[in-house]
Amino acid sequence: MSATQTGFVRSTLLFLLIGTGILIGIIVATFGLVERTRSTFDYILQERNIRRMAADLMQKLTNAETGQRGFVITRDELFLQPYEGAATEIREDLERLGEAVKDRPIKAAQMDELRDRVRGKLDEMGQAINLVRSGEQDQAIELIQSDLGRELMDDIRQMLEQFKELSDANVEMGTEAQLAATRQLQWITIGGGIAIIAVMGGAILVVAQHVRALAASRREVEVLNEGLEARVAERTEDLMQANQEIQRFAYIVTHDLRAPLVNIMGFTAELDASLKALQAYVLNDGKAVSEEQIHEARLAAAEDLPEAIGFIRSSTKKMDGLINAILKISRDGRRQLKPEVVELQPLLETITASVYHQISESDGNIDLDIKAPRLNTDRLSVEQILGNLFDNAIKYKHPDRPLTLKVRTAPEGRHMVRIEVEDNGRGIAEQDHERIFELFRRSGQQDQSGEGIGLAHVRSLARNLGGEITVRSRFGEGSTFVLRLPSDLSRLVRS
């Protein structure tokens, strides 16, 4: 990794860590403030509830006292309805108020006294009502006019008012705490937003600098590529020349080897002619010979010499075929290339038409997918390459399924075209993917005629065109031959 890339990665990670830290801080602070706000809100609601309960309790005591006094004065049972309705609720409200203020120390400390005063007031009101019902109205009035009931109500009112004042003060404090928390959240949001914007600005600045550096590097690479293309063309020319030298050498060697082979074939013909005379001499000679000598002579004349001559003939015939194949490759290699614009669609249609009857006989089919419509190359070489690949696909098709042949063309990079020939035939074992392009080498079951020069010839032609051919295959599933050729061979030829 270059120093520029290392600095970019480090800067990016630094800004990412800073931004992540700020974001986590904002989230933690926000959750803390939200939790504090929720707790304060619950506290305010509880204080408001305590205040409401204190007010309700005072109101019910007042209603009960009013009903009690109305009954004492008028002896009308209707006045007792507020008292009777409030008496039970007062006791229940008193217990609920005690439960509500148990975690409020100041209020909780007064609850026992408040309970005593309320019970005393309820007893005082009940006593007056009982006196009236027993016919002692004057005593009931005296009881009401005494200071006992008034003092009890004053004490109750004072304590409940203190509850309300404390609750109001607590509500005000809670509200101020809520406002403070809101202001803190506001400042945290503003500060965090500014910090994140600053981090984003720094990150954008680093990215912009890196992009400018990449653009400068790309311009440098483009400048280097301009010279690189020239060097590649030069190296390609060297390779083509080296390939041509090898082919010329192969031509010379095979041409020199052909002469002694012709002589050997001539001598085998003479041996064949001499064999008849030898057989007549050995078998009909009048000299005395042993039975063992006669048997050996007969065996040599009848079996050994013909067998040896047959091996010589078959071997020389095979060698002659191999040499002719090498001469063919050499002649094609020495042939002058003639670049021209080749339309791939009609070219492939012509080649497929020539083999279509062989494919259709087994219910096979051919599929063409042309995305690179043309290239400037040597037509004859391309026809030979594709024709050989098609013939191999037909020759080595899988016996248990119809042949499916797919041909795809597509541009590859700026100056290359890729041609793929895919079949569903026997396939090629992985260890033989490179071996099949070697001269006189074959792969798989040898149940088809051939000398093992077809794919070697194809690779020679491809390299002579400045390209290359490779194979992707799995045994038993089919093969895909990938031919890569320069889109304009004339550039290489001119160079």
Side-chain angles (χ1 to χ4, degrees):
M1 185 179 293
S2 65
T4 302
Q5 290 177 326
T6 303
F8 172 72
V9 171
R10 288 178 178 175
S11 300
T12 304
L13 287 176
L14 178 61
F15 280 113
L16 180 61
L17 290 174
I18 293 174
T20 303
I22 293 173
L23 185 59
I24 292 174
I26 293 174
I27 292 173
V28 171
T30 301
F31 272 111
L33 289 173
V34 169
E35 182 62 23
R36 195 171 80 183
T37 300
R38 186 191 63 79
S39 177
T40 305
F41 184 73
D42 290 341
Y43 181 81
I44 291 173
L45 289 180
Q46 291 173 4
E47 291 295 336
R48 290 175 63 86
N49 189 43
I50 291 171
R51 189 186 191 285
R52 179 185 57 77
M53 292 171 66
D56 289 345
L57 180 59
M58 190 65 228
Q59 183 62 43
K60 289 176 182 178
L61 282 170
T62 303
N63 292 340
E65 185 180 56
T66 302
Q68 176 240 5
R69 290 185 176 181
F71 173 74
V72 169
I73 295 171
T74 64
R75 297 185 181 181
D76 188 352
E77 291 289 338
L78 290 176
F79 284 97
L80 288 180
Q81 290 180 359
Y83 168 80
E84 293 173 350
T88 303
E89 293 179 0
I90 287 170
R91 293 184 176 87
E92 294 175 354
D93 288 351
L94 187 62
E95 293 305 318
R96 285 197 295 269
L97 180 60
E99 185 68 23
V101 302
K102 67 180 181 179
D103 57 347
R104 305 292 195 271
I106 297 176
K107 297 174 183 176
Q110 301 182 53
M111 278 305 300
D112 290 337
E113 185 179 357
L114 178 62
R115 288 190 183 95
D116 291 339
R117 296 292 188 275
V118 171
R119 291 192 189 100
K121 181 60 180 176
L122 290 176
D123 291 341
E124 181 265 337
M125 287 189 291
Q127 184 180 0
I129 292 171
N130 290 333
L131 288 173
V132 172
R133 285 177 175 172
S134 63
E136 299 175 355
Q137 184 178 14
D138 293 335
Q139 293 182 6
I141 293 173
E142 289 178 1
L143 178 61
I144 291 174
Q145 290 177 345
S146 68
D147 292 334
L148 176 62
R150 181 180 58 78
E151 290 174 356
L152 289 172
M153 281 297 289
D154 289 343
D155 291 340
I156 293 172
R157 185 177 293 106
Q158 182 180 359
M159 284 187 285
L160 291 178
E161 284 296 327
Q162 186 177 4
F163 276 29
K164 290 162 63 178
E165 289 173 1
L166 288 173
S167 293
D168 291 339
N170 289 337
V171 168
E172 185 177 354
M173 290 173 57
T175 303
E176 290 177 358
Q178 288 278 60
L179 293 175
T182 302
R183 287 192 295 269
Q184 289 178 6
L185 181 60
Q186 182 180 8
W187 283 113
I188 289 173
T189 303
I190 293 173
I194 293 173
I196 290 177
I197 291 173
V199 171
M200 289 178 60
I204 292 172
L205 180 61
V206 170
V207 171
Q209 290 176 346
H210 186 65
V211 169
R212 286 196 296 270
L214 287 178
S217 299
R218 187 175 66 179
R219 287 193 295 270
E220 293 176 1
V221 170
E222 290 174 351
V223 172
L224 292 174
N225 282 341
E226 292 176 0
L228 181 61
E229 290 179 359
R231 289 194 295 273
V232 170
E234 182 181 351
R235 297 296 181 269
T236 304
E237 179 188 2
D238 294 340
L239 290 174
M240 293 171 64
Q241 291 177 352
N243 192 29
Q244 292 169 359
E245 289 294 334
I246 294 172
Q247 290 164 349
R248 283 195 294 271
F249 174 77
Y251 176 80
I252 294 171
V253 171
T254 52
H255 185 271
D256 291 343
L257 284 176
R258 186 174 176 79
L261 285 176
V262 171
N263 292 333
I264 292 173
M265 294 178 69
F267 279 119
T268 56
E270 290 184 10
L271 286 174
D272 192 21
S274 300
L275 178 62
K276 295 179 181 179
L278 179 61
Q279 288 174 334
Y281 175 77
V282 173
L283 297 175
N284 298 317
D285 192 354
K287 294 182 179 181
V289 292
S290 65
E291 290 295 329
E292 183 179 355
Q293 291 174 329
I294 293 172
H295 176 72
E296 290 177 354
R298 286 176 181 273
L299 184 62
E303 298 181 9
D304 295 344
L305 288 178
E307 183 180 12
I309 292 171
F311 276 124
I312 292 173
R313 280 185 170 176
S314 63
S315 298
T316 54
K317 184 178 180 181
K318 182 177 181 180
M319 292 180 67
D320 186 60
L322 296 178
I323 291 173
N324 285 334
I326 295 175
L327 288 173
K328 182 178 184 302
I329 294 177
S330 179
R331 283 193 296 270
D332 288 339
R334 290 184 293 107
R335 183 177 65 83
Q336 184 178 2
L337 299 177
K338 297 179 180 179
E340 60 178 298
V341 176
V342 177
E343 297 291 339
L344 293 177
Q345 181 82 31
L347 173 68
L348 289 168
E349 289 175 350
T350 301
I351 298 175
T352 54
S354 66
V355 298
Y356 183 75
H357 66 285
Q358 296 174 270
I359 298 177
S360 61
E361 285 177 356
S362 60
D363 297 327
N365 62 83
I366 303 176
D367 180 29
L368 300 181
D369 182 12
I370 309 299
K371 291 189 172 72
R374 65 184 61 84
L375 73 159
N376 191 339
T377 190
D378 184 74
R379 178 185 293 273
L380 179 59
S381 297
V382 175
E383 289 177 344
Q384 289 178 334
I385 293 172
L386 295 175
N388 192 293
L389 295 178
F390 280 37
D391 289 340
N392 278 355
I394 295 171
K395 182 186 295 185
Y396 298 107
K397 72 182 186 68
H398 199 285
D400 298 332
R401 55 177 175 256
L403 175 63
T404 297
L405 196 59
K406 298 180 181 180
V407 184
R408 298 180 290 271
T409 70
E412 187 171 281
R414 297 174 58 188
H415 303 297
M416 300 294 286
V417 170
R418 185 180 72 255
I419 302 175
E420 296 185 358
V421 179
E422 179 183 352
D423 65 67
N424 64 338
R426 299 181 185 180
I428 303 166
E430 185 176 356
Q431 63 270 20
D432 292 333
H433 285 185
E434 187 62 28
R435 184 174 181 269
I436 58 174
F437 292 106
E438 298 177 6
L439 197 59
F440 309 134
R441 295 292 184 92
R442 304 177 70 187
S443 172
Q445 184 179 359
Q446 306 301 317
D447 58 350
Q448 299 291 335
S449 61
E451 303 295 345
I453 64 170
L455 290 177
H457 187 206
V458 165
R459 171 166 280 186
S460 175
L461 290 172
R463 288 178 173 175
N464 208 35
L465 295 176
E468 184 58 279
I469 186 168
T470 56
V471 66
R472 301 192 305 267
S473 180
R474 294 186 66 177
F475 188 74
E477 297 183 7
S479 304
T480 300
F481 287 89
V482 182
L483 175 66
R484 294 178 175 86
L485 296 175
S487 57
D488 188 0
L489 178 63
S490 61
R491 296 175 63 252
L492 300 179
V493 173
R494 285 196 301 271
S495 64

